[in-house]
Amino acid sequence: MAYENIIVETREKVGFIQLNRPKALNALNSALLTELTTALELFESNARIGAIVITGSEKAFAAGADIKEMQTLQFADAYTGDYFSGWERVTAIRKPMIAAVAGYALGGGCELAMMCDFIIAADTAKFGQPEITLGVMPGMGGSQRLTRFVGKSKAMDMCLTGRMMDANEAERSGLVSRVVPANELVEEALKAAQKIASFSLPVVMMTKETVKPGL
Ligand code: CO8
């Protein structure tokens, strides 16, 4: 498949996906979602791949669901058409996914990072659920995931004020597993993914499967 909104590469035993809509700060539109789920499912079915890294650009992992695509959407159409259901294909992936986040991870961008199994953040990362400032609410499970990861008080603070959390606060809060210098982000994420991919694939997959119900 020819991808227009993401870059897909194989690095040894790791599937590498870079979101690539730089002019829109990697805003997540339907075309990007279709490409992302296709690439993930191809890595899932490729026996040589043991782990997956998803990253964005230096400025933005993803600045959210695509506001321009959503702005004409009527509530009834979004609801009956199950507008966000495609994201369940991301959470259905059974191989480990690492989000390597630099810059903005906002709204749906923060949610995509949280759908991954862990987040490695650059020291430039900024996380937030600013939906409330647009008159909408987190729509892809983010309000529940964020609460499970950072606790009620901080999740309420983030979702109700729309403020951003920097990388250090995100690490203190348990949202990210580690913070690294921005220029080492992709290398560190790939290193972690290669390590995972060096282990027994069935055991890696079973480990992910058994950790998930605890979330
Ligand atoms: N969607 C579409 N385009 C975007 C988005 C986005 N989420 N974010 C940025 N862009 C575009 C801008 O429109 C701009 O394009 P153009 O040059 O054509 O005008 C380009 O990216 C660059 O953006 P800025 O000029 O704004 O860049 P700055 O560096 O000045 O600011 C920010 C960066 C702070 C990230 C700023 O762009 C911003 O605040 N973006 C919006 C962030 C946001 O609100 N995200 C949440 C979106 S809603 C969501 O994710 C889930 C909604 C669930 C709804 C459920 C109801 C159905």
Side-chain angles (χ1 to χ4, degrees):
M1 171 169 184
Y3 297 104
E4 290 178 5
N5 299 282
I6 59 175
I7 295 167
V8 180
E9 291 169 10
T10 300
R11 308 270 181 102
E12 297 172 43
K13 295 171 90 175
V14 173
F16 179 77
I17 299 175
Q18 181 170 19
L19 309 181
N20 188 34
R21 297 188 68 213
K23 289 185 184 147
L25 301 185
N26 293 331
L28 305 166
N29 63 5
S30 306
L32 186 151
L33 174 61
T34 302
E35 291 183 13
L36 178 64
T37 49
T38 300
L40 286 171
E41 285 163 5
L42 285 171
F43 284 142
E44 179 91 324
S45 61
N46 181 342
R48 291 189 305 276
I49 296 294
I52 299 163
V53 171
I54 302 178
T55 195
S57 68
E58 272 177 36
K59 180 162 182 185
F61 177 73
D66 192 310
I67 297 169
K68 290 168 190 163
E69 184 176 84
M70 282 189 308
Q71 66 190 356
T72 53
L73 206 63
Q74 296 300 309
F75 171 75
D77 296 332
Y79 182 73
T80 53
D82 215 357
Y83 183 69
F84 287 116
S85 62
W87 292 98
E88 285 161 21
R89 287 169 61 190
V90 176
T91 56
I93 296 296
R94 296 171 69 207
K95 290 180 181 173
M97 299 183 288
I98 302 174
V101 175
Y104 298 110
L106 302 178
C110 186
E111 306 206 32
L112 171 59
M114 291 191 290
M115 286 176 202
C116 294
D117 297 300
F118 61 95
I119 302 173
I120 300 181
D123 48 13
T124 57
K126 288 187 168 60
F127 298 87
Q129 299 292 158
E131 286 90 340
I132 198 151
T133 67
L134 302 172
V136 292
M137 52 184 278
M140 290 136 61
S143 38
Q144 295 85 46
R145 281 195 189 92
L146 187 67
T147 309
R148 286 200 291 271
F149 300 160
V150 306
K152 172 197 157 199
S153 191
K154 227 172 242 295
M156 286 286 191
D157 181 1
M158 305 285 295
C159 293
L160 293 175
T161 69
R163 81 171 174 89
M164 293 184 212
M165 210 189 248
D166 68 18
N168 288 330
E169 184 180 1
E171 188 183 26
R172 281 200 311 277
S173 312
L175 180 60
V176 313
S177 68
R178 36 182 141 148
V179 178
V180 299
N183 61 358
E184 294 169 18
L185 175 68
V186 170
E187 188 191 325
E188 286 297 320
L190 284 170
K191 216 190 286 175
Q194 297 290 7
K195 176 102 185 163
I196 294 167
S198 72
F199 298 131
S200 154
L201 180 58
V203 175
V204 161
M205 290 171 69
M206 281 186 263
T207 303
K208 168 168 172 166
E209 197 174 318
T210 54
V211 172
K212 274 177 83 175
L215 299 176

